[in-house]
Amino acid sequence: MRYEPVIGIETHVELSTASKMFCGCPAGFGGEPNTNVCPVCLGLPGALPVPNERAIQWTVALGIALGCEITQHSVFHRKNYFYADLPKNYQISQFDLPLCVGGHLEVDPGSGARRVGITRVHLEEDTGKSTHLGGGGRIHDAEGALIDFNRSGIPLMEVVSEPDIRTPEEARAYAQELRAIVLALGISDARLEEGSFRFDANVSLRPEGDEALGVKVEVKNMNSMRSLQRALAFEIDRQTALLDDGEPIAQETRHWDEEAGRTQPGRSKEESSDYRYFPEPDLVPLQTNPDVVERIRSGLPELPALRRARYVTLGIEPTAAATLVAGDLANLFDATVAAGGDPRAAANWLTGEVAAHLNRTGAAPADISLDGASLAELIGMVGGGDLSATAAKEVLIGVLAGEGSPREIATTRDLLQVSDESALGPEVDSVLAAHPDEVGRIREGEERLVGFLVGQVMKATGGKADPRLVDRLIRERVGL
């Protein structure tokens, strides 16, 4: 029997506000454990929460970007469950009255555009962080646990998709597009490796053509786009094998084991009734001001889909435009073009050498010492004949290492290209004199040997000669 996968994704986004969701503690990543805490985020008796206005505005901004309806009446609830890193034994979240409902996201996994519905966007607080010691880091065989409450109370936005996704590739494309929008809005650094952008996926199978949904399994612990795609592919294969064998699918939460390449059973899946939601008694309901919503709407930046379309009008290939936007390189591209860099050359450098450097080092574009002005200068030096393509790559390495501007590095490393005809003429004459047979064959019609002689001049000058000028001088001297 053939089955159709049905996938929905819940994405958690930590907001980059200065303070936490319901208190004034710093909300930044890192710091000594349990130093960014207070009675509110530790859940001490008598402490009262105060909502973070900026977090609410940013949630509304994402809702608008996703085409959601911004509700005028919204309520925070208590979501009750016990876990060691949840000091209050409940999480302040939103249940049946979230800030944003409806909406959609257009994604293209490479097989054509697809529309994925957005169920809701709501706001809640993050939990603390548990570190399990020994036993591979899992709780069931740990020898002990450390708890850091610095993360407790950081504003956490949850984006819930409709179960419209059908393949792991679509799921990855959805997550990438959502992350690109979050970055464009500037509301989170969306770093998967630090947990500020993380997702859970609900996946079930049903016979092709059926409308009824199968038993849902929630997959957690996916900390990269690649992990998301691999975990869903594994889970679809696992459920297919069970159904083919006539075995039931357990409704449960499973954890993705990146190293083993498989999901592992966690706990049985709760229903919403298990959380015993009730309105948070220490917070009044939110009333959304339409004027504020319109002000947020009018202040939205250019979103990724429009940005990609603009890049295509600049002559950038669609694939490169998508890489620039998805790889957080768009701001650097725009800065390079604004500084006078050729758009296509800028795209080639950024999606080639610069992207390779980022992959190699694990750095983020914002962390490297290359700015738009430097890349534009490098592109201009290549276009103006001051640098060969090979030398330009070495100069770029120097710029990324913080050694200075492209021209400073090219001068210091003696990489500036020789474009002086009077200086190159003797080198050309020397090479022609050393290769009389090749010169004779060129004059008899073997024009391809010009390239050989250009190579000899380049070798003699240590790669610094302008190859276009050398080519012209050779042709003039042999009478072509």
Side-chain angles (χ1 to χ4, degrees):
M1 180 179 294
R2 294 178 62 86
Y3 301 101
E4 180 184 51
V6 178
I7 301 168
I9 296 181
E10 299 171 4
T11 308
H12 289 90
V13 184
E14 277 188 359
L15 299 178
S16 298
T17 52
S19 59
K20 293 184 178 181
M21 185 61 222
F22 298 112
C23 65
C25 291
F29 177 81
E32 286 296 313
N34 298 310
T35 53
N36 297 332
V37 295
C38 73
V40 174
C41 56
L42 287 177
L44 299 185
L48 294 175
V50 177
N52 186 319
E53 183 180 11
R54 179 61 57 86
I56 294 170
Q57 292 173 345
W58 283 359
T59 303
V60 169
L62 181 63
I64 294 171
L66 295 175
C68 295
E69 175 193 349
I70 309 304
T71 58
Q72 293 189 8
H73 179 75
S74 181
V75 174
F76 283 108
H77 279 70
R78 287 189 179 182
K79 180 181 180 181
N80 297 275
Y81 66 97
F82 175 78
Y83 201 74
D85 56 20
L86 187 67
K88 296 193 292 279
N89 288 345
Y90 64 84
Q91 179 188 32
I92 300 179
S93 181
Q94 294 191 296
F95 178 45
D96 56 342
L97 295 170
L99 275 165
C100 317
V101 297
H104 65 273
L105 190 58
E106 299 282 349
V107 303
D108 186 353
S111 55
R114 289 259 298 139
R115 172 173 286 203
V116 178
I118 302 296
T119 308
R120 55 189 278 155
V121 182
H122 72 250
L123 192 54
E124 58 191 24
E125 58 180 340
D126 210 346
T127 64
K129 182 178 181 181
S130 299
T131 302
H132 302 294
L133 306 176
R138 297 290 304 278
I139 188 172
H140 62 276
D141 53 2
E143 298 171 354
L146 301 174
I147 302 177
D148 179 7
F149 289 109
N150 282 353
R151 197 178 70 175
S152 178
I154 288 179
L156 191 66
M157 194 167 53
E158 181 169 343
V159 184
V160 182
S161 85
E162 290 288 308
D164 293 339
I165 299 169
R166 294 292 175 265
T167 69
E169 292 76 19
E170 287 179 12
R172 181 171 183 160
Y174 166 85
Q176 288 175 327
E177 186 68 10
L178 179 59
R179 181 173 182 271
I181 291 174
V182 167
L183 289 173
L185 294 174
I187 59 178
S188 171
D189 58 19
R191 292 182 174 175
L192 282 77
E193 69 278 11
E194 294 178 359
S196 57
F197 190 89
R198 52 189 193 265
F199 24 68
D200 305 328
N202 293 305
V203 55
S204 63
L205 299 185
R206 63 186 175 190
E208 282 189 350
D210 277 14
E211 291 295 325
L213 297 174
V215 177
K216 183 172 64 177
V217 172
E218 183 180 43
V219 183
K220 289 179 172 290
N221 201 39
M222 300 165 289
N223 56 10
S224 70
M225 300 294 177
R226 180 173 177 268
S227 293
L228 173 66
Q229 186 171 342
R230 290 182 67 208
L232 288 174
F234 174 86
E235 190 56 26
I236 290 169
D237 289 344
R238 186 188 72 85
Q239 292 187 27
T240 299
L242 287 173
L243 293 173
D244 284 344
D245 291 343
E247 298 290 334
I249 305 292
Q251 179 169 313
E252 61 182 350
T253 295
R254 298 180 68 87
H255 294 267
W256 170 245
D257 186 328
E258 180 70 28
E259 187 173 341
R262 58 185 299 115
T263 61
Q264 306 280 6
R267 52 182 166 77
S268 59
K269 179 68 179 149
E270 301 89 347
E271 301 289 349
S272 62
S273 58
D274 295 321
Y275 291 116
R276 295 173 292 117
Y277 282 96
F278 62 85
E280 166 59 60
D282 292 332
L283 292 170
V284 298
L286 296 175
Q287 297 295 327
T288 308
N289 185 324
D291 293 338
V292 173
V293 172
E294 288 310 307
R295 190 166 67 241
I296 294 172
R297 188 190 307 277
S298 64
L300 290 185
E302 182 183 38
L303 296 177
L306 292 176
R307 206 170 200 178
R308 289 192 295 269
R310 177 167 62 83
Y311 289 173
V312 170
T313 66
L314 295 175
I316 310 301
E317 291 293 326
T319 303
T323 301
L324 288 171
V325 175
D328 307 345
L329 294 164
N331 288 337
L332 189 49
F333 173 82
D334 285 342
T336 302
V337 174
D342 176 75
R344 282 182 289 188
N348 288 338
W349 278 105
L350 290 170
T351 59
E353 298 299 319
V354 175
H357 172 80
L358 296 175
N359 289 334
R360 214 167 35 243
T361 62
D367 298 332
I368 61 177
S369 55
L370 176 70
D371 57 20
S374 295
L375 185 54
E377 182 183 353
L378 184 68
I379 292 170
M381 291 176 71
V382 174
D386 294 334
L387 278 177
S388 67
T390 302
K393 292 180 182 178
E394 185 174 340
V395 170
L396 177 66
I397 292 172
V399 174
L400 291 169
E403 295 178 13
S405 72
R407 188 163 293 280
E408 290 171 343
I409 294 167
T411 302
T412 302
R413 296 191 180 191
D414 193 22
L415 294 172
L416 286 173
Q417 194 161 260
V418 178
S419 300
D420 185 345
E421 185 171 333
S422 63
L424 288 179
E427 297 288 352
V428 171
D429 291 338
S430 177
V431 167
L432 294 180
H435 297 84
D437 291 344
E438 285 78 5
V439 171
R441 290 163 61 189
I442 290 172
R443 286 174 173 151
E444 292 172 358
E446 290 190 58
E447 195 171 335
R448 62 181 177 80
L449 289 175
V450 171
F452 167 76
L453 295 178
V454 170
Q456 295 304 305
V457 176
M458 297 301 293
K459 182 178 179 181
T461 58
K464 295 195 296 181
D466 181 347
R468 289 172 294 186
L469 177 57
V470 172
D471 182 90
R472 179 171 66 79
L473 293 176
I474 291 174
R475 289 175 183 275
E476 288 176 355
R477 280 163 168 72
V478 300
L480 289 181

